[in-house]
Each structure stands twice: as structure tokens, then as C-alpha cells.
Amino acid sequence: MAFARLAEWLGLGRHAADARLAAITRRREELAGFTEEELRALARRQRGAPDVVETFALAAIAAERVLGLRMFDVQLMGALAMQQGHIAEMQTGEGKTLAAVPAAAWFALHGRGIHVLTANDYLARRDAQWMGGIYEWFGLTVGSVSQQASAGQRRAAYACDITYATPNETGFDYLRDGLARNPGELVQRPFAFALIDEADSILIDEARIPLVIAGEVPEEAALADRADAVVRTLQPYIHYFTDEFARNVQLTDEGIARVEAAFGCGSLFEQRNLGALTAIQNALHAHALLRRDVDYLVKGGAIELVDEFKGRIAQNRRWPAGLHTAIEAKERVAFKSQGRILGAITVQALVGLYERVCGMTGTAATQAGEFWKVYGLPVTVIPTNRPVIRQDLPDIVYADRAARNRAVVEEIRKVHQTGRPVLAGTASVSDSEQLSILLQHAGVPHSVLNARNDEAEAAIIAQAGALGAVTVSTNMAGRGTDIQLGGNPPHDREKVLELGGLYVIGTTRHEARRIDNQLRGRAGRQGDPGTSRFFISLEDDLLVRFGVATNPDVDSVQRAAEGQNIEIRQTLWKYESVIEHHRREVWTLRREVLLSPDWSAASLLSEEQYAGLAEAAGKGAVETAGRRLALAVIDDLWADYLANVAEFRGGIHWVSWGGRDPLHEFLTGVQEIYADFERRLEEEMAAAFADAEIQEGEFRFPDEPQFDRGATWTYLTTDQPFGTLGERIVKGLRRHFARR
């Protein structure tokens, strides 16, 4: 199917798309003289079997009448690409929000709903309101979901023809629905179509981050405090050693002996000491590998993770329970319970639930291979409405960071004296603050936008293009906001244009070229002048990691890094695909129990036991109790499954030391864990009914209070803080083969 779409678009389909664009233009001209009532009547006739040309022409006319915006041909080209099931690459400032409307309307007119997944709650709410008037012409309803929405508000939003939401909120609602104990608790209807804004950020950067729903069983913090105290006494190279770029840390024999003495526990590696070993390893990771103001912040008395791709605080995100608790112990802040994981899904798996997916972003072409390999989504590069005249100057390379930083400050100082606005992009919070200090010493007034003050983002970005403005920012990917030359309002636009527009300075190169391109793309929008230049040092992480010791070809290094990261993500998916398969099987079973009138408790009980129960209390009572019991048992056993898989996964990479295939071992082990889930499901159903009492024609179970799930909460977990499972496996294999 995906190959057919690709062939259609790249071959004769491209000519067909041009012909469609011409047809849309002709039809738009024909419709220009129609009254609003006539246009609305034509639009509403599209319900059920929409015609692409008619729908797009009507959407373009509606945009003019409702918003006063005339859609460019390139916006309609982007919409056509999305309607074909592609990722449309459209540069910053080209009007992607409006370009999505004809495609979203066309999908919605089929009557099954479309989710427009965007980067944050603000954009979801803004775009739903902003574009809602266009959709209304077609008789389509529009809703949005935010983190603060109630269950009723969410249910209403998902019932709309078009629902704007973040993938996180959509995923969390999916997980909550997966724990519903009665049909009235459900908020979502079956998934049909998805249009993904900032597709590279959502489908690549955030695709592997698990969304988690948890409850019950708070963790024990005392052990974390004890482990933290012990680890503070350990010395690097004596008690432990780190492999910095493998993101791993290990105790030495002397370190093991010191820990065992401190705990008085005998061998640290005995089964009874598993909790202590895990706590020590987490504390080691927290102290040796994770850096404050780079990997996380301490803000408001809590640990806040930093999104490396966006430079913002990663809202509501945590590391796995034990590690997050170890960081809290390290920084001496209050512990927050992580809870027992009841369900989890990655964005990649969530997107796989939709029948058809398309998207748009400012930077996708460099990742076209990954979009195709992972999602079967072709990338179509849409030309700009006006030629890009931005000057992308060659990189300047320095021997060390100090020399690079001096050069950056001097460049900013000289440009600032002319009044030209400057945007300097940095890789981390600490880098942005270090540059800020250097600029202060140089007497350069400036603003800083990073995860410490991301609530001030809108105000800072609004004036980043003003005359004389200097803005230091962490990563600009997924900001969703354009920088206006001359400020907001753009009183000094002409002066800034005369000075050459916005000057973008990059202070390092990212592993992915598209992240650098996101920064470059802040200048030179809609044909405006602008300049970009990267100042890099041979001490930058990217170059050190790949062993570049001379004047580097950065593009080739980035291509190598991108290729390696694609392989790592694909390797990881091989490991997780079996878990996703099991999750879908359990989801299907659970939905059948919850909703199907044909489901029977007889499917989980022996024929003899079912017959006896039916005779004792009546078939209706057995079925009513059976549904209630089955849902509770499935949820409990699935939580056990997830915990067992997590424990098993934690050590699987070590099998490479024994010469075994870690993928085969993992798949085999997880399949055994799932077989145990299936066996225990029938056993626990049978045991519960065997222990039940019949009172007034109803079954009363001894563990009835446990049927109440209690409070649940959701969060994201960064479960690969030291590299992905694939990276660790690959490194293990490398070590194995290096010894042979």
C-alpha cells in the first residue's frame, strides 16, 4: 500500500498532483462570485464522499472569507501531499497550520473523525479555534483536548469530526480507556485518521518515549536514601568506572566490596539483595552519568527533565521509578511516588493504531529514509512561496570550546553594535547560561530562553526580531512560533530588513541535521533576508563521539550519526514489537470483555466449573460477575507482565557476553512471560470463583476491595537515559566480538 502511494506520487502521480492543483485553482476562481450561503451549501454536500478538488477549492475560499487569508499554491500543494498520505516538508513561515485545513477537512468529511496531533496544548487550542470557522462551513465540528480537560470535555472533543490534541494527551486517554471498568468511562472512539504537525519531532524525537499510566504501590524511598549515602563515598576509577559515551557505569571489585560492607548484606549479587543492587546501580547512574542543568533541572523543589530536542522542560516526564527516586535523593528534594505501571504505550505504537497517517513539518527531507522505513510515509518537499535568500555561511571550526565561545561573543558583539537582531542557539541549559554570562561580561544586553524560563517563551520570541535584540536560546525545534522582523508589532521592520534581517548563530552541531536546519530556518522566512552560521569546536560532543581530531566534514559526521541512530531505533523496535503485539492482544480481549454482548465467562473457565456456577446462581449472575472479575484480573496480570518484562529487559544485554543472540533470548523470554500471563488469567479466574460466596443471587469475592482500581496518574518515562536498549546491545556485541 505504502509503496503504491510512493510510486504514484513520484511517478505519474506528481503530474496528477499538478493537474489537481490547476483544477483547484480554476474551481476556486469559479466559486469566487458565489454567496456565502451558496458556498456553505456546496461544502455540506461533500459529507460522506468528498471530492478532493471541490473540497480544497471550498476550503481555500472559506479561508479568504473567514480569516482574510488567501492560500498560496504551495499551501495547497502541501495539503495535496498530506491528502495522499505523505509528510509535507514546508519551511518555517510558509503557513503550515492553514495548509493542513483542506486535508483535515477532506479526511473528516468521511465521517469517522481525524486527530490533528500537534506539539503542545497551546497550539492544539489555538489552531482549533483559529481554523474552526473554516471547518464550520462544511458542517464539521471541531474540538481540542488539553491537560486540564475533564473526562466529559475529552469525550466531547473526541466525538467531534476534527480533534486537535497532543499525542501525549491522546495516548494517555487511550491508556485510561484501557483501564475502564464500564463503557460509560470511555472517552475515545476507534482511531481512523491522524494528521501530525511537527512530524519529525513527534514521529522521530519523541516516538520512543513511553507514555505511562500508574497507580497503587508507592515506592520505598528509604533504600534510595541509603544507597545515595553509600555512593557519595565512592571514588571514580577506584570504586567504579564509566564509559562516558556508552552511558554506562560499573562497580569495580573494590567498589563492590565497599558497598557490601556498608550494607552488611553479604554478596550483593544474591537474589535476596536484588533491591539493594538495583538501588546502588540507580544511585551510581544518578551521580556519575546524569548532569544537573543538562539532563535535568531542579526547579520548584522538584526534578524537571530537559527535552534535549526542544530545550524546554519535558512536562510531566520522569525517569523509571528507581532512577528518578535516585536523582531526587542526589539533589535532596522531596520524593514523588512513581507507582505501579498499569499500562504503557509509545507514540510510535500509538500512531500505528491509525488506519491512515499523514503529516507536515519544517524539516523532514534529511530523515526521509527513516520516515519510509519505520512508518511507510513518503516525504514530499514543498517549494517556498518566495525564493529563500538567506545566506547560510560556512562553519567556522575552533580547536577548543573556549576559543569558540570567545569568537561567538565577539561576533554577537559586533553585529549587535549595528542594531541587527541576533539569535544564538545552544545545546543545553548550562551552555545557554554560560554564553549569557560571557555576554554580560562583554556588555551585550540580551534575553535567554531555556527550560528555566520557558513560561516566558512567547514574550521573548515576540521581540527576538526587534532592532538591537540579542536572544540566547536552547534548541528551537518544535517552538511553533515565527520570529517577526522589527519586533511585535513590527515597527522597525524596514530598518531590520536594511541591516540584513535576523542573524542566526549556532554554537554547536546536533547529531541530526534537521535540528540545525530548524535553527537556520528561523531566519529568511517568506523571502526575507537573513544569515546563519555555525561556530563549532573539536571538543563538541558530536565530533568527540565520532573521533574527529582534525578539521571535520561535519555533514558526513552527521550523516553517520543519523544512520547509526536509525539502526539503533530499528533495533529497539525489533525488541519492543513483541511487547506491542501482546499489548494489542490484551487490549482486544479487554475490549471484548467490556463491550461485546457475545463475550462469555465460559471462555476463561472450564466447562465443568461454568456449568456448576450457572446451576448455583444462574447464568446471568455468572456473566455479570465474570465480566467484573475478568477486567480486574486482566489489569492486575498485565501490570505483572509489564513489571516482569522490565526486570527481564534490564539485564538482557549481558547475554552477548556469553555468545548468545540477545534478540532471540529476549523474544523467547518475553513470550514465556506472556504465556504465564495467559495461564494465570484462567487460573485466577477459576480460583476467584471457587472462593466466591453467593449472596442474594450475586457472587461476592474475597478480594472484592481490590476490584476498585483506586487513583491513577499518567506521566512519560525516559527509559533510555544511558542510551537505548539497542545501543547497549550493540555495544555489548562490539565488546564480545572485540574479545574474540
Side-chain angles (χ1 to χ4, degrees):
M1 185 70 174
F3 277 104
R5 292 203 307 271
L6 180 64
E8 178 189 354
W9 184 263
L10 296 182
L12 294 175
R14 189 57 184 260
H15 300 299
D18 292 340
R20 276 185 172 177
L21 179 60
I24 292 166
T25 300
R26 287 193 301 270
R27 183 57 174 157
R28 179 160 60 163
E29 291 172 354
E30 294 169 0
L31 295 172
F34 283 45
T35 66
E36 180 175 328
E37 290 73 18
E38 291 171 329
L39 291 169
R40 285 175 177 268
L42 288 172
R44 296 185 183 212
R45 288 179 199 166
Q46 294 298 303
R47 269 197 173 272
D51 174 77
V52 174
V53 171
E54 187 77 355
T55 299
F56 279 40
L58 286 163
I61 289 290
E64 287 189 66
R65 300 282 180 96
V66 175
L67 302 177
L69 298 174
R70 180 170 177 82
M71 292 190 72
F72 304 132
D73 283 354
V74 294
Q75 290 175 303
L76 291 169
M77 290 170 63
L80 283 169
M82 287 183 267
Q83 182 268 335
Q84 288 287 309
H86 293 216
I87 301 292
E89 179 181 282
M90 300 178 66
Q91 297 300 311
T92 298
E94 292 295 303
K96 290 190 289 292
T97 302
L98 181 57
V101 171
W106 184 83
F107 283 114
L109 286 166
H110 287 80
R112 302 176 57 213
I114 180 172
H115 293 170
V116 181
L117 303 180
T118 191
N120 56 57
D121 283 358
Y122 164 73
L123 291 177
R125 183 172 58 254
R126 183 201 73 176
D127 294 351
Q129 294 172 350
W130 188 15
M131 299 295 135
I134 302 175
Y135 296 125
E136 196 272 332
W137 275 38
F138 292 88
L140 297 170
T141 55
V142 186
S144 65
V145 178
S146 68
Q147 193 172 0
Q148 292 74 34
S150 66
Q153 290 170 327
R154 291 169 186 270
R155 189 176 297 109
Y158 288 118
C160 289
D161 297 303
I162 300 156
T163 307
Y164 283 82
T166 65
N168 292 351
E169 288 306 311
T170 304
F172 287 144
D173 285 330
Y174 177 82
L175 292 173
R176 292 186 191 101
D177 278 3
L179 293 174
R181 295 292 171 86
N182 65 74
E185 295 178 14
L186 300 175
V187 300
Q188 291 178 335
R189 55 175 166 166
F191 289 5
F193 309 119
L195 190 157
I196 302 174
D197 191 8
E198 302 292 354
D200 58 337
S201 175
I202 290 172
L203 295 181
I204 294 177
D205 298 340
E206 299 177 0
R208 305 301 324 138
I209 297 173
L211 285 67
V212 173
I213 187 166
E216 310 173 340
V217 196
E219 285 75 36
E220 178 57 58
L223 187 58
D225 270 334
R226 191 176 178 191
D228 182 76
V230 173
V231 166
R232 288 179 187 274
T233 71
L234 304 183
Q235 300 178 41
Y237 309 112
I238 298 175
H239 300 113
Y240 65 89
F241 62 87
T242 60
D243 178 2
E244 182 179 359
F245 293 106
R247 307 296 286 163
N248 200 8
V249 58
Q250 292 180 341
L251 290 168
T252 63
D253 290 344
E254 190 170 342
I256 292 170
R258 189 180 186 93
V259 171
E260 289 174 343
F263 273 86
C265 62
S267 173
L268 189 61
F269 299 94
E270 290 182 8
Q271 182 67 31
R272 60 189 174 87
N273 292 324
L274 179 61
L277 174 61
T278 301
I280 286 292
Q281 196 68 19
N282 283 328
L284 264 178
H285 282 156
H287 281 275
L289 300 182
L290 294 175
R291 295 169 292 173
R292 182 170 176 167
D293 295 340
V294 175
D295 301 299
Y296 65 90
L297 303 177
V298 178
K299 190 174 181 180
I303 302 299
E304 301 279 10
L305 277 66
V306 175
D307 186 321
E308 64 172 306
F309 299 106
K310 298 177 183 174
R312 299 165 166 167
I313 286 176
Q315 295 293 339
N316 205 29
R317 189 177 301 177
R318 310 178 188 184
W319 279 298
L323 179 59
H324 200 94
T325 302
I327 292 286
E328 291 169 332
K330 170 189 173 182
E331 300 295 346
R332 296 186 167 93
V333 301
F335 292 110
K336 289 186 176 179
S337 175
Q338 308 293 296
R340 183 190 190 199
I341 294 178
L342 306 177
I345 190 171
T346 63
V347 171
Q348 181 174 337
L350 182 74
V351 169
L353 300 176
Y354 291 94
E355 294 179 20
R356 192 165 178 184
V357 176
C358 63
M360 57 186 182
T361 183
T363 48
T366 59
Q367 304 295 138
E370 184 163 6
F371 279 120
W372 179 251
K373 289 180 181 178
V374 176
Y375 298 100
L377 292 172
V379 171
T380 298
V381 178
I382 306 300
T384 55
N385 184 50
R386 297 177 180 174
V388 176
I389 61 172
R390 182 185 65 238
Q391 288 184 298
D392 294 328
L393 302 176
D395 295 350
I396 303 179
V397 184
Y398 297 87
D400 54 54
R401 289 193 180 111
R404 185 267 313 284
N405 291 345
R406 288 194 297 270
V408 167
V409 170
E410 179 60 18
E411 183 78 353
I412 293 174
R413 188 189 65 79
K414 288 193 303 182
V415 174
H416 173 64
Q417 287 179 341
T418 71
R420 187 180 186 186
V422 179
L423 172 66
T426 62
S428 68
V429 173
S430 61
D431 286 349
S432 68
E433 293 179 342
Q434 181 182 9
L435 178 56
S436 177
I437 291 170
L438 294 175
L439 289 172
Q440 288 176 24
H441 290 163
V444 178
H446 60 281
S447 299
V448 179
L449 174 57
N450 61 30
R452 288 196 199 280
N453 66 338
D454 56 1
E455 62 275 1
E457 175 176 333
I460 294 173
I461 290 294
Q463 301 306 325
L467 193 68
V470 175
T471 307
V472 177
S473 176
T474 48
N475 209 313
M476 292 298 295
R479 292 281 178 188
T481 308
D482 291 336
I483 295 174
Q484 294 190 44
L485 298 187
N488 187 10
H491 296 306
D492 296 314
R493 176 174 168 78
E494 293 304 318
K495 292 180 181 178
V496 173
L497 288 173
E498 290 174 6
L499 291 168
L502 183 66
Y503 185 16
V504 170
I505 293 176
T507 60
T508 188
R509 288 288 205 125
H510 197 275
E511 282 190 13
R513 287 169 290 165
R514 63 190 169 78
I515 303 297
D516 294 340
N517 292 339
Q518 285 272 10
L519 179 60
R520 286 192 196 277
R522 298 298 156 175
R525 64 184 292 273
Q526 280 293 324
D528 288 341
T531 305
S532 74
R533 169 163 260 167
F534 281 81
F535 291 67
I536 62 179
S537 113
L538 294 178
E539 293 180 342
D540 287 350
D541 284 352
L542 173 67
L543 303 184
V544 172
R545 185 175 296 129
F546 283 85
V548 178
T550 59
N551 225 20
D553 179 349
V554 176
D555 283 344
S556 66
V557 172
Q558 287 179 308
R559 287 190 181 92
E562 287 167 356
Q564 186 180 93
N565 287 334
I566 289 173
E567 292 302 316
I568 287 169
R569 284 190 282 263
Q570 288 181 320
T571 298
L572 183 63
W573 180 244
K574 290 178 183 177
Y575 282 79
E576 295 195 346
S577 60
V578 64
I579 302 171
E580 174 60 14
H581 176 68
H582 292 159
R583 190 197 60 73
R584 291 195 185 193
E585 284 192 353
V586 172
W587 173 269
T588 300
L589 170 62
R590 201 183 186 286
R591 295 288 276 201
E592 187 179 1
V593 174
L594 183 67
L595 299 175
S596 174
D598 298 326
W599 182 84
S600 172
S603 62
L604 295 176
L605 297 171
S606 69
E607 185 176 343
E608 181 182 1
Q609 186 180 25
Y610 183 82
L613 293 169
E615 183 179 352
K619 186 175 180 180
V622 177
E623 294 299 336
T624 299
R627 285 184 192 267
R628 192 160 48 90
L629 176 63
L631 291 172
V633 172
I634 289 171
D635 292 346
D636 187 57
L637 293 181
W638 181 246
D640 285 350
Y641 167 92
L642 292 174
N644 291 334
V645 168
E647 183 177 351
F648 180 59
R649 179 170 52 191
I652 192 63
H653 58 288
W654 295 115
V655 305
S656 61
W657 288 93
R660 292 174 290 163
D661 176 10
L663 177 58
H664 173 76
E665 295 289 331
F666 184 80
L667 297 180
T668 301
V670 171
Q671 194 58 48
E672 291 174 356
I673 294 172
Y674 187 65
D676 184 62
F677 165 89
E678 293 179 310
R679 176 184 55 77
R680 289 178 60 197
L681 175 57
E682 295 187 1
E683 288 180 354
E684 296 200 12
M685 285 286 292
F689 268 117
D691 293 339
E693 296 180 359
I694 302 173
Q695 299 177 5
E696 299 179 355
E698 293 184 358
F699 286 91
R700 304 293 184 191
F701 298 100
D703 295 329
E704 191 89 26
Q706 297 181 18
F707 286 13
D708 181 6
R709 187 175 57 244
T712 63
W713 56 96
T714 56
Y715 58 90
L716 294 89
T717 176
T718 302
D719 66 345
Q720 300 146 24
F722 318 112
T724 64
L725 173 63
E727 284 177 316
R728 288 174 290 169
I729 291 165
V730 168
K731 292 182 176 82
L733 288 171
R734 286 175 182 162
R735 296 188 187 105
H736 170 65
F737 287 116
R739 298 197 317 272
R740 294 178 63 179

